[in-house]
Amino acid sequence: MLTENRLPGRPAAQREMRRLSIAIARAAAEAYEFLSAPENFPKWATGLAGSLRKAGDDWIADTPEGRAVVRFSERNAYGVLDHSVTLPRGVTVYVPLRVVPKDEGCELVLTLFRRPGMSDEHFAADAEWVMRDLGAAKRVLEGFE
């Protein structure tokens, strides 16, 4: 089950967030088929690039802090690609990610939550990183990489 760490005294609904998205010229079902496979994440998600591997029932990624455990939502008919990353210090980062049908293609939508204590600059840098990754997913899915 995916969970999100809560801020004491502050509901998650009050945390700042950004919805980041990109249009993809590929049918939603086809995009979901590719994006829902954890082994494909390194092809477009640079935070997991090169280090994501299956270890027993878990997926492990190497981070600057050490080994992180990545958990993916189960395959579903709704385009949900949520995943969570539990860092070595025990903090879990929840990442809501969706493939939404749009005309002949789809929209890939990620909700980025501002973590406690995160500066404006760091939050902006995270958003830019996410947009680069969404752009990479678009290029792969549209056949440009």
Side-chain angles (χ1 to χ4, degrees):
M1 178 176 177
L2 299 177
T3 61
E4 176 184 357
N5 286 354
R6 304 276 185 213
L7 292 172
R10 186 171 179 197
Q14 294 179 1
R15 289 177 44 199
E16 184 179 353
M17 57 172 248
R18 292 187 190 167
R19 281 210 176 79
L20 305 168
S21 66
I22 196 161
I24 298 175
R26 189 82 181 251
E30 293 172 2
Y32 182 81
E33 185 65 30
F34 175 82
L35 295 168
S36 65
E39 55 273 9
N40 288 335
F41 268 64
K43 295 175 182 172
W44 64 274
T46 57
L48 301 175
S51 71
L52 187 65
R53 63 194 176 283
K54 185 92 166 126
D57 291 335
D58 292 325
W59 286 89
I60 305 297
D62 296 321
T63 72
E65 297 177 30
R67 289 177 47 161
V69 177
V70 184
R71 291 198 169 82
F72 296 95
S73 58
E74 293 184 23
R75 292 178 58 84
N76 58 81
Y78 308 105
V80 175
L81 296 165
D82 293 6
H83 55 284
S84 66
V85 180
T86 303
L87 301 171
R89 65 179 188 269
V91 173
T92 298
V93 179
Y94 171 60
V95 183
L97 181 62
R98 306 286 191 275
V99 173
V100 180
K102 180 180 177 185
D103 301 322
E104 300 297 313
C106 64
E107 193 91 9
L108 184 57
V109 183
L110 185 143
T111 302
L112 178 66
F113 290 102
R114 184 180 200 139
R115 292 189 312 272
M118 181 181 271
S119 70
D120 291 343
E121 294 78 17
H122 191 171
F123 192 46
D126 274 6
E128 289 174 14
W129 186 340
V130 167
M131 287 307 301
R132 280 193 303 273
D133 283 356
L134 295 181
K138 175 184 177 75
R139 287 188 300 279
V140 169
L141 287 163
E142 293 181 351
F144 298 116
E145 280 189 12

